[in-house]
C-alpha cells in the first residue's frame, strides 16, 4: 500500500510532487469540515502532475486540462466517500485514468461513425485500433523538438493497459507499488506491463534510440 | 546488464526526459466554477425530487381524507334536511335519531300547531340539530319508526334554545300536544281534556281527566315553560286521586 508521503522516483530522484508540511489526508479532513482553502492546496499539489499525466495519455493539451479539471470536480464531490486507507495520489490518479479511458472510448465511437476517422485509421500505427489526434498541439513550446513529438505520439499509440503504467512510472515517477495500486493489479503484473510497454515503445522508437543520443 | 534491460533503461530515460506540461493559470478557477455549477444543479434538481417523493404519499393521503370528508358533508347537508315550513317561529331544536320522526308533516292534523313548524331532520346520521338558535346533540338513536302526528318525537330531545327561562322555553301545553294530549294547565298541573286517537299518549294509556303533574320529574306549572334540553319519556299523573307514573311506551 502506498504511503501518503513524498515519493522518490525509480532512480531515487525527487519527483514532481512538492514538499508537504500537511499531509493529503489532513487536507481532505479540512475540506470535509468546510475548509475550501484546503481544497485549493490539494489542487495546487496535484494539478500539474494530473494535467501532465493526462496530456501524455491523450496527447492533447486542451483535453488534458479539461479532464484534469473534471478529475478535481469528481474528487471534490466524492470526498465524503474517500477512504484514507489508500494514498490520495493513488485515488486521484485512478479517477484521472478512468476519465482518460472513457475519453478514448468516445474517440473510438466518433471515429467509427465518421468516414474521416476510418480513412485516418489506415495510416495510424496504433497497436490496437486507435484514431490519432491530428489537431495541432495547443502549446508548441511544450513539445519543442521532433524527438519529443515522436515519443509523445508513440506513447499515445500504446494500449491503455501499457500506457497508464508507463506514464505513471517513467514520466510521473510513481513507485511500482503506487502504479500497482492505481491499476488495481499485483506488483508482478504491473512490472510486467511496464516492461512490455517499454518493449513496444522501443520497437516504435528504434531509429531515435540509435540516433545521436546514443 | 542484458540488452533488453539496457533498452528498457534507455526508454525510461527518454520518457523521463520529456518536458512536463503544467496546468494553465486559470485551472483552479475553472474547477471551482464547475463545482459551483454542479452544486447549483444538484440543489435545483435533487431536493425537489426528494421532496416530491417524500411528501407525495402523505399529501395524497391527506387529499383523499379531506376529499371524502367534504363529499360526506355535502351529501349530508344537501340531501337530508327538510327545509323549514311555516314561519319557524318556535324557538326550539329537535334532535332526531335515524329513521325516526315524522314522515309527512303536512298530513298532520295539527299542522297549524307551532310545534308542527319545527323543522325535523330525517337524516341518516346519528342526530342533527335544526334550529333557529343553538342546539345540542345528545346522540340519541332509536329504531322506533313511530309516526308522531305533531312532527316530533318528544322522547328524543327537545332543546329550548338555551335561552333564559321565559325566552326560550316551551309551554307544557305544547309539549304534551306533541304526544297527542290536549290539556288545560294550571298551577297544579295540566288537566287532560282529550287524547288523540292513535297517538303515543293514547297508547300509553293517558285518558281524559288525568292530571299531569310532571314530565320526567319536571313539575308542570302553567306559568313557567320548560327550558333546556329535555325528553318526554314518562308522565306523572294523578287519576282518581292516585298518583302514578306512566311510561310513554313505544308502539
Amino acid at each position: 500500500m502506498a504511503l501518503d508521503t513524498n515519493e522518490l522516483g525509480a532512480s531515487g530522484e525527487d519527483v514532481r510532487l512538492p514538499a508537504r508540511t500537511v499531509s493529503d489526508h489532513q487536507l481532505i479532513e479540512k475540506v470535509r469540515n468546510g475548509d475550501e482553502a484546503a481544497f485549493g492546496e490539494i489542487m495546487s499539489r496535484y494539478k500539474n502532475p494530473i494535467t501532465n499525466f493526462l496530456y501524455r495519455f491523450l496527447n492533447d493539451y486542451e483535453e488534458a486540462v479539461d479532464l484534469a479539471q473534471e478529475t478535481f470536480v469528481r474528487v471534490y464531490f466524492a470526498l465524503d466517500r474517500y477512504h484514507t486507507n489508500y494514498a490520495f495520489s493513488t485515488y486521484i490518479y485512478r479517477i484521472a485514468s478512468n476519465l482518460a479511458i472513457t475519453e478514448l472510448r468516445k474517440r473510438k465511437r466518433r471515429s467509427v461513425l465518421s468516414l474521416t476517422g476510418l480513412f485516418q485509421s489506415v495510416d495510424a500505427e496504433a497497436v490496437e485500433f486507435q484514431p490519432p489526434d491530428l489537431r495541432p498541439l495547443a502549446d508548441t513550446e511544450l513539445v519543442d523538438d521532433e524527438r519529443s513529438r515522436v515519443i509523445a505520439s508513440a506513447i499515445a499509440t500504446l494500449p491503455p493497459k501499457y500506457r497508464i503504467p508507463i506514464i505513471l512510472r517513467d514520466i510521473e515517477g510513481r513507485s511500482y507499488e503506487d502504479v500497482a495500486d492505481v491499476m488495481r493489479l499485483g506488483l508482478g503484473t504491473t512490472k510486467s506491463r511496464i516492461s512490455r510497454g517499454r518493449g513496444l515503445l522501443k520497437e516504435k522508437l528504434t531509429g531515435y534510440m540509435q540516433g545521436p543520443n546514443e | 546488464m542484458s540488452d533488453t534491460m539496457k533498452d528498457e533503461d534507455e526508454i525510461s530515460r527518454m520518457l523521463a526526459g520529456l518536458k512536463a506540461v503544467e496546468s494553465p493559470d486559470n485551472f483552479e478557477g475553472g474547477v471551482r466554477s464547475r463545482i459551483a455549477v454542479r452544486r447549483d444543479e444538484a440543489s435545483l434538481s435533487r431536493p425537489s425530487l426528494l421532496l416530491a417523493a417524500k411528501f407525495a404519499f402523505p399529501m395524497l393521503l391527506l387529499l383523499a381524507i379531506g376529499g371524502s370528508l367534504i363529499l360526506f358533508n355535502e351529501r349530508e347537508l344537501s340531501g337530508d334536511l327538510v327545509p323549514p315550513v311555516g314561519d319557524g317561529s318556535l324557538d326550539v331544536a329537535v334532535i332526531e335519531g335515524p329513521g325516526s320522526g315524522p314522515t309527512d308533516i303536512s298530513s298532520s292534523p295539527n299542522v297549524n300547531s307551532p310545534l308542527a313548524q319545527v323543522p325535523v331532520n330525517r337524516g341518516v346520521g346519528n342526530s342533527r340539530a335544526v334550529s333557529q338558535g343553538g342546539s345540542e346533540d345528545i346522540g340519541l338513536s332509536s329504531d322506533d319508526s313511530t309516526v308522531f302526528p305533531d312532527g316530533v318525537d318528544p322522547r328524543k330531545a327537545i332543546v329550548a334554545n338555551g335561552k333564559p327561562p321565559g325566552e326560550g322555553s316551551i309551554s307544557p301545553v305544547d309539549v304534551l300536544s306533541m304526544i297527542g294530549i290536549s290539556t288545560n294547565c294550571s298551577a297544579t298541573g295540566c288537566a287532560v281534556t282529550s287524547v288523540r286517537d292513535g297517538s303515543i299518549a293514547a297508547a300509553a294509556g293517558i285518558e281524559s281527566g288525568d292530571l299531569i303533574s310532571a314530565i320526567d320529574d319536571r313539575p308542570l306549572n302553567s306559568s313557567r315553560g320548560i327550558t333546556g334540553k329535555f325528553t318526554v319519556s314518562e308522565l306523572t299523573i294523578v287519576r282518581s286521586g292516585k298518583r302514578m307514573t306512566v311510561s310513554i311506551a313505544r308502539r
Side-chain angles (χ1 to χ4, degrees):
Chain A
M1 183 173 297
L3 296 174
D4 185 26
T5 57
N6 285 337
E7 305 292 344
L8 291 180
S11 58
E13 308 163 32
D14 201 6
V15 296
R16 297 185 177 93
L17 299 182
R20 301 162 191 179
T21 53
V22 181
S23 75
D24 291 343
H25 290 164
Q26 287 172 322
L27 285 175
I28 289 164
E29 200 53 43
K30 286 184 178 181
V31 178
R32 283 173 173 168
N33 293 327
D35 186 349
E36 292 292 324
F39 188 68
E41 173 63 21
I42 289 176
M43 280 197 282
S44 68
R45 286 183 183 184
Y46 285 97
K47 62 182 180 182
N48 287 339
I50 293 297
T51 302
N52 192 50
F53 166 73
L54 288 166
Y55 171 64
R56 292 304 172 193
F57 189 92
L58 298 168
N59 202 19
D60 183 304
Y61 183 72
E62 284 183 11
E63 279 192 3
V65 171
D66 179 56
L67 289 190
Q69 288 181 325
E70 183 62 25
T71 300
F72 283 100
V73 173
R74 300 275 177 102
V75 166
Y76 182 85
F77 285 110
L79 276 184
D80 286 340
R81 300 192 297 273
Y82 168 68
H83 297 293
T84 52
N85 49 353
Y86 279 104
F88 180 72
S89 57
T90 301
Y91 180 66
I92 195 169
Y93 273 116
R94 192 178 288 167
I95 291 176
S97 300
N98 290 336
L99 287 173
I101 290 169
T102 303
E103 175 59 26
L104 278 190
R105 288 180 183 147
K106 285 181 186 171
R107 281 189 189 178
K108 272 190 184 180
R109 281 199 294 272
R110 284 198 295 265
S111 251
V112 168
L113 292 172
S114 136
L115 284 175
T116 308
L118 286 175
F119 286 126
Q120 285 173 346
S121 70
V122 172
D123 298 322
E125 50 180 358
V127 174
E128 61 179 18
F129 175 69
Q130 215 169 76
D133 176 24
L134 298 180
R135 287 175 289 182
L137 290 171
D139 188 349
T140 51
E141 288 183 0
L142 297 176
V143 185
D144 53 4
D145 58 19
E146 183 187 354
R147 186 166 177 266
S148 293
R149 281 197 299 272
V150 170
I151 293 171
S153 297
I155 294 169
T157 63
L158 288 176
K161 67 178 184 179
Y162 301 122
R163 203 187 313 179
I164 291 173
I166 280 277
I167 296 171
L168 286 174
R169 175 63 189 159
D170 289 338
I171 298 179
E172 294 284 295
R174 309 303 300 177
S175 68
Y176 282 109
E177 289 79 6
D178 272 3
V179 179
D181 280 343
V182 173
M183 302 286 293
R184 298 180 196 259
L185 294 172
L187 194 56
T189 307
T190 303
K191 287 181 176 177
S192 169
R193 287 200 182 175
I194 290 172
S195 177
R196 173 67 179 147
R198 287 171 180 159
L200 290 172
L201 279 180
K202 174 183 166 289
E203 291 172 14
K204 299 172 188 296
L205 300 172
T206 302
Y208 293 90
M209 290 174 68
Q210 293 169 348
N213 288 324
E214 284 244 321
Chain B
M1 185 178 288
S2 69
D3 288 347
T4 304
M5 290 182 68
K6 282 182 182 173
D7 289 345
E8 281 196 28
D9 283 347
E10 174 65 13
I11 292 290
S12 187
R13 276 198 298 276
M14 288 171 69
L15 296 180
L18 288 172
K19 185 178 178 182
V21 299
E22 294 186 350
S23 57
D25 292 339
N26 62 351
F27 184 90
E28 294 186 21
V31 173
R32 292 195 186 279
S33 297
R34 289 189 190 196
I35 288 173
V37 169
R38 303 272 171 90
R39 194 180 276 150
D40 287 347
E41 288 172 353
S43 66
L44 283 175
S45 59
R46 274 189 204 158
S48 58
L49 287 175
L50 284 176
L51 279 176
K54 195 174 180 179
F55 294 110
F57 179 72
M59 284 173 69
L60 285 174
L61 194 63
L62 284 174
L63 284 174
I65 293 171
S68 60
L69 284 174
I70 290 169
L71 286 175
F72 181 76
N73 278 341
E74 277 186 352
R75 196 172 59 180
E76 267 202 344
L77 289 170
S78 62
D80 299 328
L81 292 181
V82 175
V85 292
D87 60 5
S89 59
L90 191 62
D91 199 11
V92 299
V94 178
I95 301 174
E96 288 279 332
S100 64
T103 54
D104 186 2
I105 293 174
S106 62
S107 65
S108 167
N110 289 339
V111 69
N112 290 327
S113 160
L115 287 173
Q117 298 172 10
V118 175
V120 177
N121 172 29
R122 299 177 185 174
V124 295
N126 188 29
S127 61
R128 173 171 292 279
V130 181
S131 171
Q132 291 176 332
S135 64
E136 230 179 301
D137 187 347
I138 59 172
L140 291 178
S141 64
S142 170
D143 293 327
D144 188 6
S145 58
T146 303
V147 175
F148 296 95
D150 291 313
V152 294
D153 182 354
R155 295 173 303 171
K156 293 300 183 293
I158 298 174
V159 180
N161 205 24
K163 291 182 179 178
E167 292 183 30
S169 63
I170 305 175
S171 72
V173 174
D174 289 337
V175 172
L176 292 170
S177 168
M178 292 164 66
I179 57 174
I181 304 173
S182 297
T183 56
N184 189 7
C185 294
S186 65
T188 55
C190 295
V192 178
T193 56
S194 68
V195 178
R196 190 165 54 250
D197 290 341
S199 69
I200 191 171
I206 302 295
E207 300 172 352
S208 295
D210 292 342
L211 179 69
I212 301 173
S213 60
I215 299 175
D216 287 359
D217 297 330
R218 286 174 180 255
L220 295 184
N221 188 323
S222 62
S223 63
R224 193 175 62 187
I226 300 174
T227 59
K229 182 174 67 181
F230 62 94
T231 60
V232 185
S233 56
E234 65 178 24
L235 302 175
T236 303
I237 65 170
V238 179
R239 180 182 294 168
S240 305
K242 290 182 182 177
R243 190 180 185 86
M244 62 180 71
T245 302
V246 177
S247 175
I248 304 301
R250 296 180 180 184
R251 281 187 287 185

